[in-house]
């Protein structure tokens, strides 16, 4: 196939203005519309292990291990677990024999299907799924007939419209009649830092419901707190869970908050609600489980004691990045997963495609394609947050701006909080503009400026003076101007820099960020914080400051918007909620984020990813056959 047969998503003015591509690229699979690049923040390795309670006799659970998590012991022998063996990002449920050799699919398909646990009689699977409306709910499946039934999110068991309303971590009562779970139903969409932050926190309470859908009730709640991962005592009288402040659910998924997110292990009497605190210190303790009526095992996340711990005198098992423990009913064994984030997902790795006529592939952050056929991005996950360019098939990759020696704190770079962010091509492909500095909540006390560098890596120059925090630039269609975000104590909003005169004009004065010029040059898309509740929406505005338009109106946060070649808008949204308990994630910011697309007038909104993980930074590369 020749290069004239390809039409790639282009930044700049109009598709008709594109230059001839420099060389042939790898075609999308036959019959596909093209490739969508995206960035996924998730472990790159996740393997299940089984061991004694003291960590002895540890071995891999599966003979054929791929990418598995959330393993649990199955009644009658064997194990149930979640696997992404059907595609990176596609969570499906499987069962394995006790020796880990025979693997049988239980629940598969495009939705997230996760956290499966078998009933005590081994006949019914309870699991979390997004299969009806993209929200996480508890479902039941009869293993004999394969029939499924939705237990939460139904007419009788659902929260208020517009608010969080998801259900997690089902646990069977010992008699098999009830299921306990956590839920954020009827809570608020709230950012961290008392609502000032972009990323959501999570408030959870503990509920029980009969397997017939009756008897739904709350058994434990505490305003301003997150209560998660419930498990029953062997005698069925108590339910144990972890308890932390809502604010701590932000720090619990960020390694830079080690020692700052203390939790308690708590149990309640199911009948009376009587509360007992079993462990309360400065460690991050999660996913407790009764091993007997008097002993509880739990996970210590992060810190020097990371691993498995017990409320008894039983010795702890100290091991980094053990996650999701599940103890056997006889109290002799424990299943857990081991996760790694290195090596990172390679650029161009095949991902699961929720749009079957598109190939989904991995990229690093802030990808953008020039008219001349080069992709630029920040190597935040695979490198040190410098500026890279490559061909759309991942070939001819090279660094054009190195942040080394630019005065950035290497610790902040490693944590994803500093670097050269949001590179943008000039229409002629000669220049790349970007922001250089420290980002996110550091903007109040750190420096950042707009820079540019030639595509060959020469001529790097600073375009703003660095006295105010400036970044996230985007070129106008004619290449004469750059729009960027400014942040200071005295001024906030979007500014437009004339590259010839070096004069700047004010475009907006709101809490605005992440601007991007549309391909037709008529609009600038950006993210604005709502003053009424602290959440965020997508807006567009004309370059002269007219025609301000709010494109998203949901009570959750929407942001990181980018244009497609045909002037539609893609963004990272959260209106369908978390897919799991927030505190259980690692090294991520907004794991609830899924990729959406809409017309520029806000119509025809739809999701284009449905994974357990944080998906963002999309770039369509359409092909015309």
């Amino acid at each position: 196939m020749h290069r004239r047969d390809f039409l790639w998503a282009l930044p700049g003015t109009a598709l008709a203005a594109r230059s001839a591509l420099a060389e042939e690229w790898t075609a999308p699979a036959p019959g596909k519309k093209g490739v969508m690049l995206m960035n996924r923040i998730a472990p790159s390795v996740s393997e299940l292990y089984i061991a004694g309670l003291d960590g002895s006799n540890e071995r891999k659970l599966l003979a054929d291990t791929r990418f598995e998590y959330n393993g649990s012991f199955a009644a009658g022998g064997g194990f149930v677990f979640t696997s992404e063996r059907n595609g990176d990002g596609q969570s499906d449920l499987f069962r394995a024999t006790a020796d880990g050799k025979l693997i049988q699919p239980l629940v598969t398909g495009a939705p997230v299907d996760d956290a499966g646990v078998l009933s005590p009689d081994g006949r019914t699977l309870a699991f979390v799924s997004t299969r009806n409306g993209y929200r996480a709910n508890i479902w039941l499946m009869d293993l004999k007939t394969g029939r499924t039934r939705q237990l939460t999110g139904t007419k009788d068991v659902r929260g208020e419209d517009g608010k969080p309303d998801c259900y997690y971590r089902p646990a069977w009562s010992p008699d098999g009649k009830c299921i306990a779970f956590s839920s954020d139903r009827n809570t608020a969409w709230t950012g961290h830092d008392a609502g000032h932050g972009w990323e959501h926190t999570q408030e959870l309470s503990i509920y029980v419901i009969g397997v017939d859908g009756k008897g739904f009730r709350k058994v434990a709640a505490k305003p301003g707190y997150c209560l998660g991962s419930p498990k029953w005592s062997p005698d069925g009288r108590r339910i144990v869970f972890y308890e932390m402040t809502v604010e701590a659910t932000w720090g619990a998924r960020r390694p830079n908050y080690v020692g700052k997110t203390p939790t308690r292990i708590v149990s309640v009497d199911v009948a009376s609600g009587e509360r007992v605190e079993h462990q309360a210190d400065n460690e991050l303790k999660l996913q407790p489980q009764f091993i007997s009526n008097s002993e509880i095992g739990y996970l210590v996340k992060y810190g020097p004691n990371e691993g498995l711990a017990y409320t008894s005198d039983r010795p702890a098992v100290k091991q980094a990045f053990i996650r999701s423990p599940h103890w056997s009913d006889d109290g002799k064994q424990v299943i857990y997963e081991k996760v790694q984030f290195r090596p990172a997902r390679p650029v161009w790795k095949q991902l699961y495609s929720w749009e079957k006529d598109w190939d989904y592939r991995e990229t690093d952050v802030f990808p953008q394609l020039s008219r001349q056929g080069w992709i630029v991005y920040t190597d935040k996950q695979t490198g040190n947050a410098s500026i890279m360019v490559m061909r759309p098939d991942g070939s001819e990759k090279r660094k054009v701006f190195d942040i080394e020696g630019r005065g950035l704190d290497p610790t902040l770079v490693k944590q994803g909080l500093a670097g050269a962010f949001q590179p943008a091509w000039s229409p002629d492909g000669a220049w790349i503009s970007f922001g250089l500095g420290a980002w996110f909540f550091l903007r109040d006390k750190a420096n950042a400026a707009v820079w540019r560098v030639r595509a060959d890596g020469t001529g790097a120059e600073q375009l703003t003076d660095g006295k105010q925090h400036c970044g996230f630039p985007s070129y106008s269609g004619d290449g004469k101007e750059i729009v960027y975000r400014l942040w200071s104590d005295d001024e906030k909003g979007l500014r437009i820099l004339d590259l010839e005169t070096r004069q700047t004009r004010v475009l907006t004065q709101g809490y605005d960020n992440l601007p991007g010029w549309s391909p037709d040059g008529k609009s600038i898309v950006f993210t604005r914080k709502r003053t009424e509740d602290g959440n965020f929406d997508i807006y567009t505005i004309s370059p002269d400051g007219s025609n301000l338009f709010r494109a998203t109106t949901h009570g959750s946060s929407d942001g990181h918007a980018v244009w497609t070649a045909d002037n539609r808008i893609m963004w990272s949204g959260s209106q369908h909620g978390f897919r799991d308990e927030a505190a259980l994630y690692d090294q991520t910011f907004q794991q609830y984020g899924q990729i959406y697309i809409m017309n520029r007038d806000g119509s025809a909104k739809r999701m284009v990813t449905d994974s357990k993980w944080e998906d963002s930074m999309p770039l369509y590369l359409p092909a015309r056959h």
Side-chain angles (χ1 to χ4, degrees):
M1 186 170 291
H2 298 288
R3 60 176 180 248
R4 67 173 180 270
D5 296 322
F6 290 89
L7 183 60
W8 301 90
L10 306 175
T13 50
L15 293 174
R18 70 182 177 91
S19 302
L21 303 185
E23 60 183 70
E24 296 182 26
W25 299 331
T26 302
K32 300 286 187 178
K33 291 182 178 179
V35 173
M36 188 183 82
L37 296 180
M38 55 170 282
N39 179 252
R40 170 166 292 141
I41 300 179
S44 56
V45 177
S46 185
E47 296 178 317
L48 292 174
Y49 284 77
I50 186 170
L53 271 62
D54 60 357
S56 61
N57 301 314
E58 182 186 73
R59 65 174 175 83
K60 287 186 179 181
L61 186 65
L62 302 174
D64 176 22
T65 183
R66 307 287 184 87
F67 188 96
E68 282 83 30
Y69 44 91
N70 289 335
S72 64
F73 290 93
F79 318 97
V80 172
F81 59 94
T82 306
S83 177
E84 296 187 7
R85 60 187 54 222
N86 289 331
D88 188 327
Q90 177 51 43
S91 302
D92 292 321
L93 289 167
F94 294 80
R95 185 173 185 172
T97 51
D99 60 7
K101 294 182 178 179
L102 180 61
I103 297 174
Q104 171 192 4
L106 293 177
V107 185
T108 61
V112 173
D113 297 309
D114 187 24
V117 284
L118 275 179
S119 59
D121 62 10
R123 297 178 180 179
T124 307
L125 178 73
F127 62 102
V128 174
S129 181
T130 61
R131 60 188 45 230
N132 183 13
Y134 299 111
R135 290 186 181 275
N137 277 293
I138 309 298
W139 286 70
L140 300 178
M141 186 180 77
D142 185 302
L143 292 190
K144 184 176 181 179
T145 65
R147 293 176 182 170
T148 59
R149 176 165 54 91
Q150 188 171 349
L151 197 59
T152 65
T154 62
K155 180 180 179 181
D156 297 326
V157 186
R158 60 177 300 179
E160 299 176 31
D161 290 341
K163 290 187 174 183
D165 187 26
C166 291
Y167 304 79
Y168 315 102
R169 297 284 160 173
W172 289 91
S173 61
D175 61 10
K177 295 181 179 180
C178 294
I179 292 175
F181 53 89
S182 61
S183 175
D184 57 8
R185 67 194 307 268
N186 298 337
T187 60
W189 302 101
T190 305
H192 64 85
D193 258 352
H196 292 95
W198 154 258
E199 297 86 0
H200 287 154
T201 53
Q202 187 183 52
E203 181 172 346
L204 296 173
S205 298
I206 305 298
Y207 297 81
V208 297
I209 191 172
V211 294
D212 58 1
K214 299 178 181 180
F216 172 67
R217 67 185 181 95
K218 186 185 294 185
V219 296
K222 192 174 181 180
Y225 281 77
C226 172
L227 286 56
S229 296
K231 291 288 179 64
W232 299 78
S233 60
D235 60 13
R237 295 180 177 180
R238 305 191 69 83
I239 292 176
V240 67
F241 49 88
Y242 66 83
E243 178 182 279
M244 64 174 66
T245 65
V246 167
E247 181 65 25
T249 64
W250 160 241
R253 56 193 196 256
R254 301 296 305 154
N256 49 305
Y257 282 79
V258 172
K260 301 177 182 179
T261 53
T263 58
R264 294 182 175 91
I265 301 300
V266 180
S267 72
V268 295
D269 185 283
V270 178
S272 69
E274 175 246 350
R275 170 188 168 98
V276 174
E277 291 188 10
H278 300 274
Q279 289 285 85
D281 52 38
N282 199 42
E283 291 182 320
L284 176 54
K285 302 173 292 295
L286 301 169
Q287 295 179 288
Q289 180 181 333
F290 280 104
I291 298 172
S292 67
N293 289 324
S294 59
E295 183 184 14
I296 297 169
Y298 57 92
L299 171 72
V300 176
K301 184 180 178 184
Y302 303 146
N305 295 320
E306 184 167 37
L308 306 180
Y310 302 91
T311 57
S312 65
D313 294 331
R314 191 186 300 272
V317 180
K318 295 183 181 181
Q319 193 172 151
F321 281 101
I322 284 181
R323 296 293 183 263
S324 298
H326 187 271
W327 285 267
S328 60
D329 289 341
D330 62 10
K332 296 181 179 179
Q333 292 181 301
V334 59
I335 295 172
Y336 46 83
E337 67 209 42
K338 293 183 181 181
V339 300
Q340 299 178 43
F341 284 78
R342 288 289 183 268
R345 280 176 176 76
V347 171
W348 207 250
K349 182 182 187 297
Q350 184 78 50
L351 306 176
Y352 183 84
S353 301
W354 284 271
E355 296 179 292
K356 294 304 181 184
D357 47 2
W358 289 86
D359 278 333
Y360 284 34
R361 293 185 180 272
E362 172 77 9
T363 187
D364 218 317
V365 297
F366 301 112
Q368 191 182 90
L369 184 75
S370 73
R371 300 179 189 177
Q372 294 72 32
W374 289 89
I375 290 177
V376 65
Y377 64 94
T378 299
D379 65 336
K380 175 173 170 286
Q381 288 185 220
T382 61
N384 68 346
S386 294
I387 302 298
M388 305 289 294
V389 297
M390 68 175 182
R391 288 297 189 183
D393 64 355
S395 65
E396 300 186 55
K397 184 166 56 178
R398 69 176 187 270
K399 185 181 294 185
V400 296
F401 183 84
D402 195 334
I403 66 168
E404 292 291 338
R406 300 290 180 177
L408 299 183
D409 184 334
T411 299
L412 296 179
V413 172
K414 185 177 181 180
Q415 293 172 350
L417 301 174
F421 278 16
Q422 189 164 303
W425 288 105
S426 63
D428 61 6
W431 291 91
I432 300 166
S433 184
F434 54 92
L436 179 67
W439 307 102
F440 309 118
F441 57 88
L442 297 172
R443 60 179 172 254
D444 290 323
K445 54 186 178 181
N447 293 324
V450 175
W451 284 62
R452 70 173 179 175
V453 67
R454 293 188 183 276
D456 63 3
T458 64
E461 64 172 323
Q462 187 172 323
L463 299 178
T464 60
D465 60 19
K467 295 179 181 179
Q468 298 168 311
H469 197 282
C470 300
F472 305 101
S474 177
Y475 275 94
S476 61
D478 58 13
K480 296 180 179 180
E481 296 179 313
I482 287 176
V483 62
Y484 64 92
R485 187 273 285 138
L486 176 146
W487 179 277
S488 73
D489 292 338
D490 302 322
E491 293 184 81
K492 292 178 178 62
L494 304 183
R495 303 294 184 264
I496 294 181
L497 171 67
D498 186 305
L499 290 171
E500 182 177 347
T501 67
R502 299 301 171 101
Q503 298 298 305
T504 299
R505 72 177 191 272
V506 175
L507 181 62
T508 72
Q509 299 186 71
Y511 194 133
D512 303 330
N513 207 348
L514 299 163
W517 227 297
S518 63
D520 62 10
K522 296 180 179 180
S523 300
I524 293 170
V525 68
F526 64 97
T527 302
R528 170 168 287 183
K529 186 175 184 178
R530 299 195 297 266
T531 57
E532 62 268 27
D533 61 9
N535 288 304
F536 296 79
D537 278 311
I538 305 300
Y539 282 75
T540 60
I541 193 171
S542 297
D544 63 3
S546 63
N547 301 314
L548 179 66
F549 173 68
R550 181 179 174 182
T552 61
T553 58
H554 194 267
S556 60
S557 286
D558 298 298
H560 290 274
V562 296
W563 295 95
T564 64
D566 56 0
N567 294 292
R568 291 183 295 164
I569 296 170
M570 301 183 79
W571 79 98
S572 180
S574 58
Q575 73 177 72
H576 292 95
F578 289 88
R579 266 88 173 114
D580 202 350
E581 295 175 355
L584 305 186
Y585 285 84
D586 283 289
Q587 300 186 20
T588 186
F589 295 92
Q590 47 207 37
Q591 68 274 19
Y592 45 79
Q594 304 296 311
I595 298 174
Y596 296 74
I597 192 169
M598 64 181 167
N599 295 330
R600 69 192 307 164
D601 64 1
S603 63
K605 294 181 176 74
R606 62 184 177 88
M607 286 176 59
V608 296
T609 65
D610 184 16
S611 83
K612 179 184 173 73
W613 313 106
E614 177 178 347
D615 293 336
S616 62
M617 308 293 179
L619 174 65
Y620 272 135
L621 305 176
R624 184 170 59 195
H625 300 282

